[in-house]
Amino acid sequence: MKIIGIGKNYVNETSEISALKTGAQTIFTKPDSSLVTDNKDVEFPKITNQLAYEVELVVKIGKRGKDIALNDAVSYISELAIGIDYTAKDVLAASRENKGPWALAKGFDGASPISGFKPISEFSDLNAINFDLKINGEQKQVGITGLMIYSFAEIITYISSFMTLDEGDLIFTGTPASGTGLVVKGDHLQASIEGELLLDFKMI
């Protein structure tokens, strides 16, 4: 099973989308050992002092595909969840100094907490899904898929032009353009889709 992430995929206003939609999507991968499921608490990683959160909708691929056509791409989605794409900012900065990859900064154990999944059939409009993140009860991020630069279908088509997507693969589809920040030990994170609390854990 692959975990694939897309970076810099949201804007604050729909009017910004056309200028940023160049066709070159920012793609990275994470190991499955980074996953935390079942709302288990997440151990703060020893490798960083700057742990940044990004709340994201997570697409699960339901069938195998390569070079998937845009008008068929949505049929490859089986389920949807919400997750946190954690980044060790200090590790990332050190890697960038040497023009290195993002792997260690985004692929450490605990870097990808995700909720349980909901069938994609429960969402009538994939371009109008609301989601949010609260930390210690305070709203930190609010998103709607209408502000994505690249839609779910466009992401799937792009990724599948490079690599085969297999059943069970997960795609973190990007975070809202504002509201990201750092977490510390003891923080309580709660993420919802359409007002339904699905992800609920503490940093320990």
Side-chain angles (χ1 to χ4, degrees):
M1 181 258 283
K2 298 185 290 294
I3 303 172
I4 302 164
I6 179 168
K8 302 176 182 178
N9 194 37
Y10 275 78
V11 293
N12 288 310
E13 301 289 342
T14 54
S15 59
E16 303 170 33
I17 292 176
S18 58
L20 296 171
K21 201 164 192 170
T22 63
Q25 300 181 33
T26 300
I27 302 294
F28 57 92
T29 60
K30 297 158 74 86
D32 58 7
S33 55
S34 70
L35 288 175
V36 182
T37 59
D38 301 320
N39 283 326
K40 293 176 183 173
D41 291 337
V42 177
E43 186 174 348
F44 195 97
K46 298 175 182 177
I47 51 92
T48 183
N49 292 311
Q50 294 180 305
L51 186 62
Y53 61 83
E54 298 178 7
V55 68
E56 309 197 10
L57 293 177
V58 183
V59 162
K60 181 185 282 188
I61 298 298
K63 58 184 178 180
R64 184 178 174 90
K66 178 74 168 73
D67 293 322
I68 298 167
L70 184 63
N71 60 6
D72 194 34
V74 168
S75 73
Y76 285 78
I77 304 172
S78 61
E79 297 173 282
L80 193 68
I82 193 164
I84 306 294
D85 173 24
Y86 274 133
T87 305
K89 298 290 282 186
D90 43 1
V91 175
L92 182 61
S95 180
R96 280 176 167 167
E97 282 184 13
N98 297 310
K99 298 184 178 179
W102 295 10
L104 298 181
K106 284 187 171 286
F108 53 88
D109 290 355
S112 310
I114 60 168
S115 71
F117 283 85
K118 297 176 70 68
I120 198 67
S121 58
E122 293 189 12
F123 301 94
S124 59
D125 186 354
L126 298 187
N127 295 312
I129 300 174
N130 295 281
F131 61 105
D132 69 275
L133 171 68
K134 294 182 176 70
I135 300 180
N136 303 324
E138 181 182 349
Q139 191 88 71
K140 292 293 186 179
Q141 287 189 280
V142 176
I144 185 169
T145 49
L147 292 175
M148 297 173 79
I149 300 170
Y150 298 101
S151 68
F152 294 156
E154 289 169 323
I155 293 169
I156 289 169
T157 295
Y158 183 77
I159 292 172
S160 72
S161 70
F162 291 89
M163 66 184 81
T164 298
L165 288 170
D166 289 305
E167 182 179 355
D169 285 350
L170 304 179
I171 304 174
F172 280 69
T173 58
T175 196
S178 59
T180 60
L182 301 180
V183 294
V184 297
K185 281 187 178 182
D187 279 347
H188 182 193
L189 287 81
Q190 296 175 299
S192 304
I193 302 178
E194 295 294 351
E196 181 182 356
L197 179 62
L198 295 173
L199 185 62
D200 189 353
F201 68 93
K202 290 182 178 180
M203 298 302 302
I204 60 174

